[in-house]
């Protein structure tokens, strides 16, 4: 996972912008339909469909923020288990931003390897800038590429058109117009931990990718 992009672009005073996201790579990242990590081990094996008994963290987003996962199921129980943990990771990251807590335990739970440190750095950078997030994020067009029983790749889109930055002190909401840049393509690699959790270990993104724009 490289430097995060925005799910919300906010123009402030001298045209500076604040990037808020559920976690992704920078706008310059060369993300495309190839899933991060696909060159490592690409096979036809299915991910393990063993149900993890590990209890997940309970995440409840603030009342002014919603994450909607549109058609976030494939009908395959093993693949859907992967998507569920990806969705939980997104919720956990947005929750950490709203709480101003870059060390929230849910981040450690759903991220691994370098992606964990980068997720924490990103949350901290948003909090340090004095912002939180509000509104509605929509995630859609999720696709899974299975590498083996313990690793897979997931690409998905995010519609940030109704999500905004909120000043942490004043509560002021910075509303912005919807453009092609409001849509983001994410490419991730996930790996199954010993506890059965699908952790995100790589994550990049590209704002305005044509596969996500209406």
């Amino acid at each position: 996972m490289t430097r995060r992009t925005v799910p919300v672009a906010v123009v402030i005073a001298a045209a500076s912008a604040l990037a808020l996201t559920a976690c992704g790579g920078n706008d310059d990242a060369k993300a495309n339909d190839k899933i991060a990590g696909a060159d490592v081990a690409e096979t036809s094996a299915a991910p393990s469909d063993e149900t993890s008994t590990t209890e997940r963290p309970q995440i409840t987003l603030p009342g002014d923020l919603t994450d909607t996962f549109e058609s976030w199921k494939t009908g395959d129980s093993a693949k859907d288990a992967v998507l569920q943990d990806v969705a939980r990771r997104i919720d956990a990251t947005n929750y950490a931003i709203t709480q101003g807590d870059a060390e929230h335990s849910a981040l450690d739970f759903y991220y691994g390897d370098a992606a964990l440190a980068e997720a924490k750095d990103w949350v901290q950078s948003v909090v340090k800038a004095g912002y939180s997030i509000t509104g509605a994020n929509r995630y859609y067009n999720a696709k899974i590429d299975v590498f083996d029983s313990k690793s897979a790749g997931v690409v998905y889109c995010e519609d940030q058109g109704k999500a905004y930055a909120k000043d942490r002190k004043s509560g002021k909401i910075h509303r912005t117009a919807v453009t092609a840049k409001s849509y983001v393509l994410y490419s991730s690699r996930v790996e199954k931990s010993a506890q059965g959790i699908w952790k995100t270990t790589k994550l990049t993104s590209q704002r305005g990718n044509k596969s996500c724009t209406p």
Side-chain angles (χ1 to χ4, degrees):
M1 182 170 71
T2 60
R3 182 67 179 170
R4 240 149 305 275
T5 65
V6 277
V8 186
V10 181
V11 179
I12 302 176
S16 60
L18 171 69
L20 302 176
T21 188
C23 186
N26 62 32
D27 290 338
D28 296 326
K30 296 180 179 178
N32 50 41
D33 291 335
K34 182 178 180 181
I35 299 173
D39 56 333
V40 177
E42 189 169 354
T43 73
S44 58
S48 171
D49 60 359
E50 296 178 0
T51 302
S52 170
T53 57
T54 302
E55 185 175 355
R56 269 65 170 174
Q58 294 299 310
I59 297 295
T60 302
L61 295 175
D64 65 338
L65 178 65
T66 59
D67 289 344
T68 300
F69 300 90
E70 184 178 286
S71 300
W72 207 255
K73 288 186 177 182
T74 66
D76 180 291
S77 61
K79 290 182 178 180
D80 286 345
V82 176
L83 286 177
Q84 287 172 10
D85 276 345
V86 171
R88 291 170 180 137
R89 182 262 296 167
I90 292 171
D91 279 346
T93 311
N94 284 344
Y95 181 77
I97 291 174
T98 63
Q99 301 305 299
D101 185 4
E103 296 300 324
H104 196 280
S105 59
L107 298 180
D108 296 85
F109 197 89
Y110 291 115
Y111 286 98
D113 297 345
L116 173 59
E118 292 175 359
K120 291 183 175 183
D121 286 346
W122 175 242
V123 172
Q124 183 59 38
S125 69
V126 174
V127 174
K128 186 176 181 180
Y131 293 94
S132 182
I133 48 178
T134 189
N137 291 301
R138 181 173 68 96
Y139 302 92
Y140 57 101
N141 285 358
K143 297 180 177 64
I144 298 180
D145 190 1
V146 175
F147 307 146
D148 53 47
S149 63
K150 297 295 184 180
S151 62
V154 178
V155 295
Y156 59 93
C157 296
E158 180 187 13
D159 173 4
Q160 304 168 350
K162 295 181 180 179
Y164 311 101
K166 181 173 71 173
D167 188 280
R168 195 171 289 277
K169 289 184 178 180
S170 70
K172 179 181 178 181
I173 298 174
H174 300 273
R175 300 182 185 278
T176 54
V178 177
T179 69
K181 296 294 186 180
S182 301
Y183 302 91
V184 186
L185 174 69
Y186 292 92
S187 178
S188 64
R189 177 181 175 86
V190 293
E191 299 181 14
K192 195 173 186 178
S193 71
Q195 293 72 37
I197 308 303
W198 288 95
K199 290 176 174 278
T200 296
T201 56
K202 292 183 181 180
L203 184 59
T204 60
S205 68
Q206 185 180 52
R207 183 168 296 284
N209 186 283
K210 292 182 178 180
S211 67
C212 294
T213 55

